[in-house]
Amino acid sequence: MRIGELAERAGTSTRTLRYYESRGLLPSRRSPNGHRTYDEDDLRLLRQIRTLQDFGFALEETRPFVECLRAGHPAGDSCPASLAVYRRKLAELDALIDRLADVREQVGRQLAEAERAAAGTAGADRPGVDTLGAAAVPRCEMTG
């Protein structure tokens, strides 16, 4: 198949395919008339790359998976180098989740403090209202 058909079937652009080719992720084969030619294996490579990128993998992190497929393995993640990338990515995601949990906790504390402060000063700028938001009762002095 030609580059336009491959791009359409893979759900990407011809420009992206040329870029992958320049990075050595997609093979560069030419027909006798100079057109790029691709086959179903190339489509499988592209689907592997796109899936990994959808998961947040950098383009270079997809290389071991592509090389595994090119070596004739049934799946791009059936080689030791691919498994190592999975392990690194999981460690990266775990660290990110931990960091996000810390940030969430800090934001929650800030919100609670801000709400307490807002409740404590809600009526301070309105005459006749105490700090709890209730109307102040005028004091009457009895004379007698």
Side-chain angles (χ1 to χ4, degrees), residues 109-121:
R109 281 195 305 267
Q110 287 297 119
L111 173 61
E113 286 178 31
E115 287 175 335
R116 278 192 300 277
T121 61

Side-chain angles (χ1 to χ4, degrees), residues 96-118:
L96 191 57
I97 288 167
D98 290 346
R99 175 68 183 128
L100 287 173
D102 289 344
V103 169
R104 186 185 191 292
E105 187 177 318
Q106 291 172 10
V107 169
R109 281 195 305 267
Q110 287 297 119
L111 173 61
E113 286 178 31
E115 287 175 335
R116 278 192 300 277

Side-chain angles (χ1 to χ4, degrees), residues 17 54 69 91 137 139:
L17 298 182
D54 287 347
L69 286 171
V137 178
R139 294 171 90 189

Side-chain angles (χ1 to χ4, degrees), residues 46-95:
L46 287 172
R47 287 184 175 147
Q48 177 77 75
I49 292 168
R50 301 246 336 173
T51 297
L52 292 169
Q53 286 193 304
D54 287 347
F55 291 161
F57 286 67
L59 185 59
E60 194 56 35
E61 290 175 313
T62 69
R63 187 173 301 280
F65 298 85
V66 169
E67 290 171 355
C68 190
L69 286 171
R70 280 189 180 162
H73 294 274
D77 58 5
S78 60
C79 295
S82 303
L83 298 176
V85 172
Y86 274 154
R87 286 185 195 100
R88 279 193 308 270
K89 184 55 79 174
L90 277 176
E92 180 184 310
L93 291 169
D94 286 343

